Amino acid sequence: MRDTSQHLLFNLQQFWAEGSLEKNNALVEYLKQYGVVRTDKVAEVMETIDRALFVPEGFTPYTDSPMPIGYNATISAPHMHATCLELLKDYLQPGMHALDVGSGSGYLTACFAMMVGPEGRAVGIEHIPELVVASTENVERSAAAALMKDGSLSFHVSDGRLGWPDAAPYDAIHVGAAAPEIPRPLLEQLKPGGRMVIPVGTYSQDLQVIDKSADGSTSVRNDASVRYVPLTSRSAQLQDS
């Protein structure tokens, strides 16, 4: 969770305790009020893709907190989804290509697909086959279902550290788990002029923003301190399940 989110989380928890926050668009409105959602483009896609369709039964979908989805994986907190969408929104224009590494529930991949549209490509890769099945079922119930049917949105079982060369290069790459260092294949699959958002570190993690220039050189900046599950092998992720 971002260090700056503590005040936001406290205030939203007060609101939830009153039983008032019941709908997806109400959560988005509160994220807007606290400055996490800053643009209409991000607000629109988060209102269109209902988070409740991607959170397992028995959990509160509109709580601003990560939720377990099984197999030692989580769906990130809404404020982190909003943060990453804001960082990547200019690289998710219609017709662009986006890669979601560690796609988990499929929520953010679905958001990417809605933003790049049917003429673009949104690819989610996840090394747990059961999560690929679940994410596919989640999307089939969502506003992004038609995009999966026409092939512009797809999920694949693969080691996220290797990317997905078939649809490369990507204008936008998002990594939903923390890597000890930026995986070289992901840098290679990032399009010149594109952007990657990835948490980097082990115990201490930073959400890094990597921009690749036209000549292939990259610049890196830290956006926030975060806490993500590790980007690792399937066997390592499952060992404590």
Side-chain angles (χ1 to χ4, degrees):
M1 181 174 292
R2 302 182 73 192
D3 290 346
T4 55
S5 70
Q6 296 298 326
H7 180 70
L8 166 65
L9 181 57
F10 175 75
N11 281 276
L12 284 178
Q13 283 175 331
Q14 284 187 314
F15 189 71
W16 300 321
E18 297 169 0
S20 301
L21 188 58
E22 297 175 353
K23 296 184 179 180
N24 189 64
N25 58 356
L27 171 61
V28 177
E29 182 61 32
Y30 268 74
L31 293 174
K32 287 169 63 177
Q33 290 187 23
Y34 282 94
V36 183
V37 171
R38 302 188 302 276
T39 62
D40 291 342
K41 185 175 183 180
V42 170
E44 180 180 356
V45 74
M46 291 189 72
E47 288 170 351
T48 301
I49 301 298
D50 187 352
R51 179 177 167 87
L53 300 176
F54 297 82
V55 174
E57 291 187 16
F59 293 93
T60 307
Y62 306 124
T63 300
D64 190 26
S65 175
M67 298 287 176
I69 58 174
Y71 308 96
N72 287 330
T74 62
I75 178 173
S76 294
H79 75 269
M80 286 308 310
H81 283 151
T83 295
C84 293
L85 287 168
E86 289 286 357
L87 288 169
L88 289 170
K89 66 183 184 299
D90 293 336
Y91 306 85
L92 295 167
Q93 303 289 342
M96 290 184 171
H97 285 208
L99 176 65
D100 188 17
V101 175
S103 49
S105 71
Y107 174 85
L108 207 56
T109 321
C111 290
F112 291 169
M114 296 297 293
M115 296 172 83
V116 302
E119 64 272 40
R121 283 293 310 275
V123 177
I125 51 176
E126 170 61 56
H127 60 195
I128 306 297
E130 293 86 352
L131 289 180
V132 171
V133 172
S135 62
T136 299
E137 294 173 348
N138 294 341
V139 170
E140 286 174 345
R141 298 191 298 267
S142 79
L147 296 170
M148 189 163 59
K149 185 175 181 179
D150 71 18
S152 57
L153 164 58
S154 60
F155 294 100
H156 307 275
V157 179
S158 181
D159 186 332
R161 297 169 295 185
L162 303 178
W164 189 255
D166 291 7
Y170 298 97
D171 301 276
I173 297 178
H174 167 264
V175 183
E181 58 186 17
I182 301 167
R184 174 60 56 181
L186 298 183
L187 284 174
E188 293 172 349
Q189 292 172 36
L190 184 63
K191 185 178 181 178
R195 171 172 287 184
M196 183 192 314
V197 174
I198 176 174
V200 177
T202 50
Y203 181 76
S204 176
Q205 302 170 2
D206 293 304
L207 189 66
Q208 295 192 348
V209 179
I210 298 98
D211 291 314
K212 181 182 276 191
S213 64
D215 64 7
S217 61
T218 57
S219 63
V220 181
R221 67 177 174 86
N222 292 339
D223 181 74
S225 296
V226 293
R227 188 64 180 160
Y228 278 76
V229 296
L231 183 67
T232 185
S233 67
R234 175 166 48 185
S235 59
Q237 182 171 332
L238 294 175
Q239 66 181 0
D240 295 325
S241 291

